[in-house]
Amino acid sequence: MLRLAVLASGRGSNLQAILRSISQGSLKARVVMALSNVPHAPALELAQAAGIPIWAEDHRTFKSRKEFDAAMLTAMAGKQVEAVALAGYMRLLSPEFLQAFKGRVLNIHPSLLPAFPGTDGAGDTLAYGAKFAGCTVHFVEEALDSGPVIIQAALAVQANEPLDGLMPRIHAMEHRIYPQALQWLASGRLRLQGRLVHLSAPELGEETPEPANPPAGCLISPPLEQGF
Ligand code: GRF
């Protein structure tokens, strides 16, 4: 059972997807705390409704990123947090925070990294005229949207597709690949070699999951497993 802290600044649909996978039993984790730099973020309401302890402070009231992140670490102390999932957390993390959870902080980003990092990955994909959009779950490093890639989902952009058409399609994929990546982490199947992420087979004696059918019009690598 992976003890997870979720950091979110917005709507919280990825937090919701994580909670859904946990309650369905496919993600063997527990969200032990939700933290935010936006005190009225809808994600926090979701967490509260699920009985998850929350912590939220406006980062602008802190002197520095280092101090804000130190306050988050203090808030998490005693919760035995094993991994941190960024779910629409719109801030960089300090080196000190990342050091505290080395190799155990994941992020979801709405583009096919390394293309279109930044705050508007999907919008930038469309504005550039790229023909494939998608989303990426990756380990977090200090530089924005730069860490080793765990899983990606690619979607063909439709002719003249507006952002409000593409975005829900990306979100639907996010809600499948993020819980999957977290389950791989929870089951110890992710190994980092430099910036390459290797996915190992389940341990001997553990069931080998069947592959899930990929959603129509979408390519996912590595493939999703049953339950995601
Ligand atoms: C997602 O699109 C994610 O890729 C990005 O922020 C958005 C968060 O959405 N990092 P939500 O708050 O989980 O609905």
Short mmCIF file of all heavy atoms in Angstrom, two decimals, residues 47-70:
data_model
loop_
_atom_site.label_atom_id
_atom_site.label_comp_id
_atom_site.label_asym_id
_atom_site.label_seq_id
_atom_site.Cartn_x
_atom_site.Cartn_y
_atom_site.Cartn_z
N ALA A 47 -10.73 16.32 -1.90
CA ALA A 47 -9.95 15.56 -0.92
C ALA A 47 -10.71 15.51 0.40
O ALA A 47 -10.87 14.45 1.01
CB ALA A 47 -8.58 16.19 -0.73
N GLN A 48 -11.23 16.68 0.79
CA GLN A 48 -11.95 16.74 2.06
C GLN A 48 -13.16 15.81 2.05
O GLN A 48 -13.43 15.11 3.02
CB GLN A 48 -12.40 18.17 2.33
CG GLN A 48 -11.68 18.75 3.51
CD GLN A 48 -11.95 20.21 3.72
OE1 GLN A 48 -12.38 20.92 2.80
NE2 GLN A 48 -11.72 20.68 4.93
N ALA A 49 -13.87 15.84 0.91
CA ALA A 49 -15.06 14.98 0.80
C ALA A 49 -14.68 13.51 0.93
O ALA A 49 -15.49 12.69 1.37
CB ALA A 49 -15.75 15.23 -0.53
N ALA A 50 -13.43 13.19 0.55
CA ALA A 50 -12.98 11.80 0.64
C ALA A 50 -12.34 11.51 1.99
O ALA A 50 -11.78 10.43 2.19
CB ALA A 50 -12.01 11.49 -0.49
N GLY A 51 -12.38 12.50 2.88
CA GLY A 51 -11.83 12.28 4.23
C GLY A 51 -10.31 12.34 4.30
O GLY A 51 -9.70 11.84 5.24
N ILE A 52 -9.70 12.97 3.30
CA ILE A 52 -8.24 13.06 3.26
C ILE A 52 -7.79 14.35 3.96
O ILE A 52 -8.33 15.43 3.66
CB ILE A 52 -7.76 13.05 1.79
CG1 ILE A 52 -8.13 11.73 1.13
CG2 ILE A 52 -6.26 13.32 1.68
CD1 ILE A 52 -8.07 11.76 -0.38
N PRO A 53 -6.83 14.28 4.86
CA PRO A 53 -6.33 15.50 5.50
C PRO A 53 -5.75 16.46 4.47
O PRO A 53 -5.08 16.02 3.52
CB PRO A 53 -5.21 14.99 6.43
CG PRO A 53 -5.41 13.53 6.55
CD PRO A 53 -6.16 13.07 5.34
N ILE A 54 -6.05 17.74 4.62
CA ILE A 54 -5.53 18.70 3.65
C ILE A 54 -4.65 19.75 4.33
O ILE A 54 -4.78 20.01 5.53
CB ILE A 54 -6.67 19.41 2.87
CG1 ILE A 54 -7.57 20.20 3.82
CG2 ILE A 54 -7.47 18.43 2.06
CD1 ILE A 54 -8.55 21.10 3.08
N TRP A 55 -3.79 20.34 3.52
CA TRP A 55 -2.96 21.46 3.96
C TRP A 55 -2.92 22.43 2.79
O TRP A 55 -2.64 22.02 1.66
CB TRP A 55 -1.55 20.98 4.30
CG TRP A 55 -0.62 22.09 4.73
CD1 TRP A 55 -0.38 22.49 6.00
CD2 TRP A 55 0.19 22.93 3.88
NE1 TRP A 55 0.53 23.53 6.00
CE2 TRP A 55 0.89 23.82 4.71
CE3 TRP A 55 0.38 23.02 2.49
CZ2 TRP A 55 1.76 24.78 4.23
CZ3 TRP A 55 1.25 23.99 2.00
CH2 TRP A 55 1.93 24.85 2.86
N ALA A 56 -3.21 23.70 3.06
CA ALA A 56 -3.16 24.68 1.96
C ALA A 56 -2.75 26.04 2.49
O ALA A 56 -3.28 26.51 3.50
CB ALA A 56 -4.52 24.77 1.28
N GLU A 57 -1.82 26.64 1.80
CA GLU A 57 -1.40 28.01 2.10
C GLU A 57 -1.13 28.70 0.78
O GLU A 57 -0.65 28.07 -0.17
CB GLU A 57 -0.09 28.02 2.92
CG GLU A 57 -0.20 27.43 4.31
CD GLU A 57 -0.89 28.33 5.33
OE1 GLU A 57 -1.07 29.54 5.04
OE2 GLU A 57 -1.25 27.82 6.39
N ASP A 58 -1.40 30.00 0.75
CA ASP A 58 -1.08 30.79 -0.44
C ASP A 58 0.44 30.99 -0.48
O ASP A 58 1.01 31.58 0.44
CB ASP A 58 -1.80 32.14 -0.33
CG ASP A 58 -1.61 32.97 -1.59
OD1 ASP A 58 -0.61 32.75 -2.30
OD2 ASP A 58 -2.46 33.84 -1.84
N HIS A 59 1.08 30.51 -1.55
CA HIS A 59 2.55 30.57 -1.60
C HIS A 59 3.06 32.01 -1.58
O HIS A 59 4.20 32.26 -1.19
CB HIS A 59 3.08 29.84 -2.83
CG HIS A 59 2.62 30.45 -4.12
ND1 HIS A 59 1.43 30.10 -4.72
CD2 HIS A 59 3.16 31.39 -4.91
CE1 HIS A 59 1.28 30.80 -5.82
NE2 HIS A 59 2.30 31.60 -5.96
N ARG A 60 2.18 32.96 -1.96
CA ARG A 60 2.64 34.37 -2.01
C ARG A 60 2.88 34.95 -0.62
O ARG A 60 3.47 36.01 -0.48
CB ARG A 60 1.62 35.23 -2.77
CG ARG A 60 1.58 34.87 -4.27
CD ARG A 60 0.42 35.51 -4.95
NE ARG A 60 -0.85 35.08 -4.38
CZ ARG A 60 -2.05 35.33 -4.89
NH1 ARG A 60 -2.14 36.04 -6.01
NH2 ARG A 60 -3.15 34.90 -4.32
N THR A 61 2.38 34.26 0.39
CA THR A 61 2.61 34.75 1.75
C THR A 61 3.92 34.23 2.34
O THR A 61 4.23 34.49 3.50
CB THR A 61 1.44 34.36 2.68
OG1 THR A 61 1.39 32.93 2.74
CG2 THR A 61 0.10 34.87 2.16
N PHE A 62 4.67 33.47 1.53
CA PHE A 62 5.97 32.97 2.00
C PHE A 62 7.09 33.75 1.33
O PHE A 62 6.93 34.25 0.22
CB PHE A 62 6.11 31.48 1.65
CG PHE A 62 5.26 30.59 2.51
CD1 PHE A 62 3.88 30.54 2.33
CD2 PHE A 62 5.82 29.84 3.53
CE1 PHE A 62 3.08 29.74 3.13
CE2 PHE A 62 5.04 29.03 4.34
CZ PHE A 62 3.66 28.97 4.14
N LYS A 63 8.24 33.82 2.01
CA LYS A 63 9.36 34.60 1.47
C LYS A 63 9.97 33.96 0.23
O LYS A 63 10.47 34.65 -0.65
CB LYS A 63 10.44 34.75 2.55
CG LYS A 63 10.28 36.03 3.35
CD LYS A 63 11.56 36.34 4.12
CE LYS A 63 11.29 36.34 5.60
NZ LYS A 63 12.04 35.52 6.45
N SER A 64 9.97 32.67 0.19
CA SER A 64 10.65 32.00 -0.92
C SER A 64 10.02 30.64 -1.17
O SER A 64 9.28 30.11 -0.34
CB SER A 64 12.13 31.79 -0.57
OG SER A 64 12.22 30.93 0.56
N ARG A 65 10.37 30.08 -2.32
CA ARG A 65 9.93 28.72 -2.67
C ARG A 65 10.45 27.73 -1.62
O ARG A 65 9.75 26.83 -1.19
CB ARG A 65 10.50 28.36 -4.05
CG ARG A 65 10.04 27.02 -4.57
CD ARG A 65 10.70 26.68 -5.90
NE ARG A 65 10.63 27.77 -6.86
CZ ARG A 65 9.55 28.09 -7.57
NH1 ARG A 65 8.45 27.40 -7.43
NH2 ARG A 65 9.59 29.09 -8.42
N LYS A 66 11.71 27.96 -1.23
CA LYS A 66 12.32 27.06 -0.24
C LYS A 66 11.49 27.03 1.05
O LYS A 66 11.23 25.97 1.61
CB LYS A 66 13.74 27.57 0.04
CG LYS A 66 14.56 26.68 0.89
CD LYS A 66 15.98 27.20 1.01
CE LYS A 66 16.69 26.46 2.13
NZ LYS A 66 18.10 26.80 2.23
N GLU A 67 11.04 28.22 1.49
CA GLU A 67 10.27 28.27 2.75
C GLU A 67 8.89 27.63 2.58
O GLU A 67 8.40 26.94 3.48
CB GLU A 67 10.11 29.71 3.23
CG GLU A 67 11.39 30.21 3.85
CD GLU A 67 11.23 31.53 4.58
OE1 GLU A 67 10.06 31.94 4.85
OE2 GLU A 67 12.26 32.14 4.86
N PHE A 68 8.27 27.89 1.44
CA PHE A 68 6.95 27.28 1.21
C PHE A 68 7.08 25.76 1.19
O PHE A 68 6.30 25.05 1.84
CB PHE A 68 6.36 27.78 -0.12
CG PHE A 68 5.00 27.21 -0.40
CD1 PHE A 68 3.87 27.71 0.25
CD2 PHE A 68 4.84 26.16 -1.29
CE1 PHE A 68 2.61 27.16 0.02
CE2 PHE A 68 3.59 25.61 -1.53
CZ PHE A 68 2.47 26.12 -0.88
N ASP A 69 8.07 25.26 0.47
CA ASP A 69 8.24 23.81 0.36
C ASP A 69 8.60 23.20 1.71
O ASP A 69 8.18 22.08 2.04
CB ASP A 69 9.30 23.47 -0.70
CG ASP A 69 8.77 23.71 -2.11
OD1 ASP A 69 7.65 24.23 -2.24
OD2 ASP A 69 9.49 23.37 -3.07
N ALA A 70 9.37 23.95 2.50
CA ALA A 70 9.71 23.46 3.84
C ALA A 70 8.44 23.33 4.68
O ALA A 70 8.29 22.37 5.46
CB ALA A 70 10.72 24.40 4.50
#
